[in-house]
Amino acid sequence: MASQRTFIAIKPDGVQRGLVGEILMRFERKGFRLVGLKQITPDRALAEAHYGVHRERPFFAALVDFICSGPVVAMVWEGHGVIAAARMLIGATKPLEAEPGTIRGDLAVDIGRNVVHGSDAEETAAFEIGLWFKDDELNDWTPADQSWRVEA
Ligand code: IDP
Ligand code: MG
């Protein structure tokens, strides 16, 4: 399994509800490595680019308004298979259908307030990381206990 990077964001509802530590902890405890982290209130251009794939959907304007409504905690996480694994940790888009034990399954009830975003594929991860972060905001590092996380 190759090492990958993915873009994860705690949306304004997660920040407002004081869930930053709780959400961060789940990725950290799983064994992934944090390589980028910042808090940013997105402008419309950033939010529209990020959700560009949903431009024609009826909820697009409300979604952009919501994402721009307050601070977002933007992160890049690295690790073996992290893109798909992060989506599993996050859970289904509709929180009432998300499995208990997932972030959305445990912490949210409304599709429009589902607390966290995660890239859905390698191409979207690369696009979203480049959109939210400059290269020099990302840290290449290896945890001191790496051999206790992955074999060889
Ligand atoms: P994802 O966040 O699980 O990848 P997407 O289908 O990519 O889900 O949708 C992006 C975001 O748009 C969702 O997380 C949710 O906040 C919002 N969204 C998606 N579908 C709806 C909807 O039908 N009504 C309201 N908001 C929606
Ligand atoms: Mg998506």
Side-chain angles (χ1 to χ4, degrees):
M1 178 61 72
S3 191
Q4 302 175 324
R5 288 182 173 183
T6 195
F7 175 72
I8 302 293
I10 304 173
K11 299 182 188 183
D13 50 341
V15 177
Q16 297 290 342
R17 291 175 55 205
L19 297 173
V20 173
E22 164 77 35
I23 292 170
L24 243 158
M25 182 183 67
R26 294 176 178 226
F27 295 94
E28 200 171 39
R29 235 173 26 181
K30 173 75 171 166
F32 295 127
R33 110 181 51 153
L34 185 60
V35 299
L37 173 71
K38 64 182 175 184
Q39 189 178 63
I40 172 175
T41 301
D43 59 20
R44 294 195 74 79
L46 176 56
E48 287 178 1
H50 176 77
Y51 280 125
V53 66
H54 297 303
R55 194 171 295 276
E56 306 303 327
R57 309 283 286 277
F59 57 81
F60 181 71
L63 178 59
V64 169
D65 284 346
F66 166 60
I67 290 298
C68 296
S69 68
V72 167
V73 172
M75 302 178 276
V76 177
W77 287 89
E78 181 173 319
H80 291 229
V82 69
I83 297 172
R87 296 276 296 185
M88 290 179 68
L89 290 175
I90 289 169
T93 305
K94 294 180 179 174
L96 293 180
E97 296 176 6
E99 295 284 341
T102 65
I103 294 167
R104 288 169 174 166
D106 289 349
L107 303 175
V109 291
D110 189 322
I111 192 169
R113 299 288 184 271
N114 61 9
V115 300
V116 63
H117 166 85
S119 306
D120 61 8
E122 282 191 34
E123 313 80 68
T124 41
F127 169 72
E128 291 168 1
I129 291 168
L131 185 65
W132 289 80
F133 284 92
K134 301 187 183 99
D135 281 348
D136 67 6
E137 293 175 317
L138 301 177
N139 302 270
D140 288 314
W141 67 291
T142 303
D145 63 353
Q146 184 67 356
S147 66
W148 299 104
R149 298 162 187 254
V150 292
E151 191 177 9

